[in-house]
Amino acid sequence: MKNKNKFEVNEKVLIKATGKTMTVSKCSFVANMKRYSYTLKEMPQTFYFEEELSSL
């Protein structure tokens, strides 16, 4: 079964709001919101949803 998340662990992504490049460290599905959240290696205390990130 294929995951429906947009980004993979260790993938470089761009934060749309700041324009900074970061690396995904963890991905998890938030069931009650029905979407994925991502934790970044450079900022482990913060999580982002798919729509806040974009591919390089």
Side-chain angles (χ1 to χ4, degrees), residues 7-19:
F7 307 107
E8 299 297 324
V9 174
N10 294 323
E11 183 177 347
K12 296 276 189 188
V13 295
L14 180 72
I15 300 174
K16 290 180 181 179
T18 63

Side-chain angles (χ1 to χ4, degrees), residues 10-56:
N10 294 323
E11 183 177 347
K12 296 276 189 188
V13 295
L14 180 72
I15 300 174
K16 290 180 181 179
T18 63
K20 291 185 179 180
T21 302
M22 303 284 180
T23 308
V24 175
S25 66
K26 187 170 89 171
C27 172
S28 60
F29 184 71
V30 182
N32 61 344
M33 296 181 80
K34 296 182 181 160
R35 57 186 181 168
Y36 287 91
S37 69
Y38 298 89
T39 306
L40 306 176
K41 286 183 182 180
E42 294 83 356
M43 298 169 50
Q45 71 281 5
T46 309
F47 68 90
Y48 293 89
F49 290 112
E50 283 184 339
E51 53 274 0
E52 298 175 288
L53 304 171
S54 64
S55 297
L56 291 180

